[in-house]
Amino acid sequence: MSKAIGVMDSGIGGLTVAKEIMHQLPNENIVYVGDTARCPYGPRPSSEVKEYTWEMARFLYNQQIKMLVIACNTATAVVLEEIQTAFDIPVIGVISPGARSAVKYTKNDRIGILGTSGTIKSKAYETSLSHLRPSIETFPLACPKFVPLVESGEHAGSMAKKIIAETLVQLKNTNIDTLILGCTHYPLLQPIIEQYLGPSITVISSGDETAREVSAILAYRNELNARHEKKENRFYTTGSSKIFGQVARQWLQNEELNIQHVRLPRN
Amino acid sequence: MSKAIGVMDSGIGGLTVAKEIMHQLPNENIVYVGDTARCPYGPRPSSEVKEYTWEMARFLYNQQIKMLVIACNTATAVVLEEIQTAFDIPVIGVISPGARSAVKYTKNDRIGILGTSGTIKSKAYETSLSHLRPSIETFPLACPKFVPLVESGEHAGSMAKKIIAETLVQLKNTNIDTLILGCTHYPLLQPIIEQYLGPSITVISSGDETAREVSAILAYRNELNARHEKKENRFYTTGSSKIFGQVARQWLQNEELNIQHVRLPRN
């Protein structure tokens, strides 16, 4: 069997990235690990985020993957470069692809960024955006209520509409033309966010754009699978495989997922 | 000065790709060559396309570029792989990025492809699309009247509207949800094409997507310019620098372009 693409996240949010990779690259296999037992990473000190992320990275690396995707904004901000330097396979995070896509779409150089408090505090998107185009003005907004909405399965109801409206009202009068969803949970809220903002603002999902770059980089390295093999996607969680499985089956619209509990080896 | 990105085309069409690279990567310098004297490549035998494309590729390679973009669908179809194998820098064409983006956007796996007769005959997009996702159904359409429209500067008038409507009527009842503009001239017709098709069809410019992949690959190789230097874009044409200059200044909305006539060295 050909090598898989490794995807890791502090929990379930990275499943939106995995789903998009499956959509864009149906010939590829994925091995996913979510550190649900220690989720969320956002409020943790960097040293812990670093330690836990390295545990997942080594676990996936030992599965003979051909590429590693850090599908977690917090972990990307803290430890991406270190892992890129250490590994002999391509390693990408979710921040640069989102920033790159926003630079493509904006016409007035005014870009909004939604994220968890940790991601917004890290200013990782601002750094990446100004690196690409110094003239860009950013409007970051922490949305601490969004992840709980998604985790509780309330991402499509009237409560979601209310919370999204109350949060995004702060972007009024900013005149942004592009908005980055800087958290892998947020794509599940995207329809309501787009409805609230109207058609004049382009909403970018970092996760979707990351999948796009996985495709581009594997093609550049001539490592895309040339044909469709029997799918062998595997999902590991450090927490309850039952709860993880419920969410994964719903999000990925697939009842037959190979989900296992895993105890990550210490570094 | 840091190394530039090389962009080449049979003529002026590749300027749409160059423009998009300048938009997405304003810190980078570009060196462009258009083989206007021998344009169009479409009707030429493959052996000639190969010979001429190699002349441009070597000319650019000798300018110390860090990446080469073949911004011409015909040349990409004929000679991309050969140049990729021969050069020690990344080389990309316009076909795979367009195909990859279409696979991202389509929901019903029905994709239209517009191109010159040569590109449509080559089936290069079909090959690339089916490689990515075997279930995709394609609806290719040669548009021989589109390039003359653009070359004659008529890309925004009533004649353009008429010709586009007469051509695209053939896509009626195909139920495509995504359309690839498989020629670097066509982005200038994109507003009218989108207006004719309506909002239910996503229109993808191969050129825009190519620029996006230039950004992703240079980032992956850690070769993006970290800061904004004095711009040193250079444009070479094998034909009249006066005519090339008129088009280039209009398309790039820049009056101060460094444009020179060049005689390409034989291989």
Side-chain angles (χ1 to χ4, degrees):
Chain A
M1 204 184 70
S2 55
K3 290 182 175 181
I5 298 164
V7 180
M8 64 196 214
D9 181 36
S10 58
I12 55 175
L15 287 172
T16 61
V17 182
K19 184 179 183 178
E20 189 60 27
I21 295 174
M22 293 175 201
H23 173 70
Q24 292 184 35
L25 295 171
N27 289 352
E28 303 296 325
N29 291 309
I30 286 175
V31 49
Y32 182 97
V33 60
D35 194 7
T36 342
R38 298 182 291 196
C39 183
Y41 281 8
R44 292 185 185 276
S46 298
S47 58
E48 267 181 27
V49 172
K50 194 178 280 198
E51 185 189 335
Y52 299 168
T53 307
W54 263 114
E55 286 178 17
M56 288 195 286
R58 289 225 178 77
F59 171 74
L60 287 175
Y61 188 80
N62 289 333
Q63 316 273 321
Q64 309 294 322
I65 52 174
K66 59 183 170 187
M67 181 162 187
L68 176 62
V69 182
I70 306 181
C72 169
N73 283 270
T74 310
T76 298
V78 172
V79 73
L80 170 65
E81 278 184 43
E82 228 182 79
I83 299 178
Q84 277 176 330
T85 308
F87 282 3
D88 56 359
I89 54 170
V91 181
I92 66 168
V94 281
I95 290 171
S96 300
R100 239 189 305 284
S101 185
V103 167
K104 172 178 186 299
Y105 285 107
T106 185
K107 290 195 166 64
N108 70 3
D109 283 3
R110 299 170 75 87
I111 297 175
I113 304 155
L114 306 186
T116 62
S117 307
T119 300
I120 295 301
K121 260 188 223 147
S122 78
K123 294 191 188 293
Y125 278 100
E126 283 90 329
T127 305
S128 189
L129 287 165
S130 75
H131 187 90
L132 287 166
R133 186 183 300 156
S135 58
I136 279 176
E137 208 170 334
T138 53
F139 300 87
L141 182 61
C143 309
K145 292 181 179 168
F146 284 13
V147 169
L149 259 183
V150 173
E151 296 266 349
S152 62
E154 302 273 351
H155 56 269
S158 58
M159 175 68 89
K161 276 189 191 165
K162 187 167 170 281
I163 289 178
I164 286 169
E166 282 170 7
T167 309
L168 298 191
V169 72
Q170 298 172 68
L171 291 175
K172 279 225 162 151
N173 305 321
T174 56
N175 194 26
I176 58 167
D177 70 353
T178 308
L179 179 71
I180 299 174
L181 304 184
C183 171
T184 50
H185 282 77
Y186 296 179
L188 283 108
L189 302 169
Q190 191 163 347
I192 301 178
I193 291 173
E194 286 182 337
Q195 198 180 20
Y196 177 82
L197 294 173
S200 65
I201 297 180
T202 305
V203 176
I204 286 165
S205 154
S206 275
D208 289 8
E209 301 304 327
T210 303
R212 178 83 163 72
E213 297 207 0
V214 169
S215 179
I217 290 168
L218 287 179
Y220 162 66
R221 290 172 58 90
N222 211 9
E223 288 181 347
L224 282 175
N225 283 354
R227 59 198 174 79
H228 200 59
E229 293 180 340
K230 190 177 171 300
K231 295 300 284 182
E232 281 286 358
N233 296 323
R234 280 166 291 149
F235 298 85
Y236 295 96
T237 169
T238 58
S240 154
S241 59
K242 196 178 156 200
I243 295 172
F244 185 95
Q246 282 166 354
V247 177
R249 277 187 285 272
Q250 194 204 335
W251 286 12
L252 304 179
Q253 293 165 310
N254 185 338
E255 287 301 313
E256 291 172 21
L257 296 177
N258 176 354
I259 298 166
Q260 295 167 49
H261 173 78
V262 67
R263 202 187 185 100
L264 293 175
R266 297 275 164 197
N267 291 321
Chain B
M1 204 183 68
S2 56
K3 289 182 174 181
I5 297 164
V7 181
M8 65 196 215
D9 181 38
S10 58
I12 55 174
L15 288 172
T16 61
V17 181
K19 183 179 183 178
E20 190 59 28
I21 295 173
M22 293 175 200
H23 173 71
Q24 292 184 35
L25 295 171
N27 290 352
E28 301 297 325
N29 290 309
I30 285 175
V31 49
Y32 182 98
V33 60
D35 194 7
T36 342
R38 297 183 291 197
C39 184
Y41 281 8
R44 293 184 184 275
S46 297
S47 58
E48 266 182 27
V49 172
K50 194 178 280 197
E51 184 189 335
Y52 299 169
T53 307
W54 264 114
E55 285 178 18
M56 288 196 286
R58 290 225 177 78
F59 170 74
L60 287 175
Y61 188 80
N62 289 333
Q63 315 274 320
Q64 308 295 322
I65 52 174
K66 60 183 169 186
M67 183 163 185
L68 176 63
V69 182
I70 305 181
C72 169
N73 282 270
T74 311
T76 298
V78 172
V79 74
L80 170 66
E81 278 184 44
E82 226 181 80
I83 299 177
Q84 278 177 330
T85 308
F87 282 3
D88 57 357
I89 54 169
V91 181
I92 65 167
V94 281
I95 290 172
S96 300
R100 239 189 305 285
S101 185
V103 167
K104 172 178 187 300
Y105 286 106
T106 185
K107 289 193 166 64
N108 70 3
D109 282 4
R110 299 170 75 87
I111 296 175
I113 303 155
L114 307 186
T116 62
S117 306
T119 300
I120 295 301
K121 260 188 223 148
S122 78
K123 294 190 188 295
Y125 279 99
E126 283 90 329
T127 305
S128 190
L129 287 165
S130 75
H131 187 90
L132 288 166
R133 186 183 300 158
S135 58
I136 279 176
E137 207 171 335
T138 53
F139 299 86
L141 182 60
C143 310
K145 292 182 180 168
F146 283 14
V147 169
L149 260 183
V150 173
E151 295 266 348
S152 61
E154 302 273 352
H155 57 270
S158 58
M159 175 68 88
K161 275 189 191 165
K162 188 168 168 284
I163 288 178
I164 285 169
E166 281 169 8
T167 309
L168 298 191
V169 72
Q170 297 173 71
L171 291 175
K172 279 227 162 149
N173 305 321
T174 56
N175 195 27
I176 58 168
D177 71 351
T178 308
L179 179 71
I180 299 174
L181 303 184
C183 171
T184 50
H185 282 78
Y186 297 179
L188 283 109
L189 302 169
Q190 192 164 347
I192 300 178
I193 292 173
E194 286 181 337
Q195 199 180 19
Y196 177 82
L197 295 173
S200 65
I201 297 180
T202 304
V203 176
I204 286 165
S205 154
S206 274
D208 289 8
E209 301 303 327
T210 303
R212 177 84 162 71
E213 297 207 1
V214 169
S215 179
I217 291 169
L218 287 179
Y220 162 66
R221 290 172 57 91
N222 211 10
E223 289 182 345
L224 282 175
N225 283 353
R227 60 199 173 77
H228 201 57
E229 295 179 340
K230 190 177 171 300
K231 295 299 285 182
E232 281 286 357
N233 295 323
R234 282 165 292 151
F235 297 86
Y236 295 96
T237 169
T238 58
S240 154
S241 59
K242 196 177 157 200
I243 295 173
F244 184 95
Q246 282 167 354
V247 177
R249 278 187 284 271
Q250 195 203 336
W251 286 13
L252 304 178
Q253 293 164 310
N254 185 338
E255 288 302 313
E256 292 173 18
L257 295 178
N258 176 354
I259 298 167
Q260 295 167 50
H261 172 79
V262 67
R263 201 187 187 102
L264 293 175
R266 297 274 164 199
N267 291 320

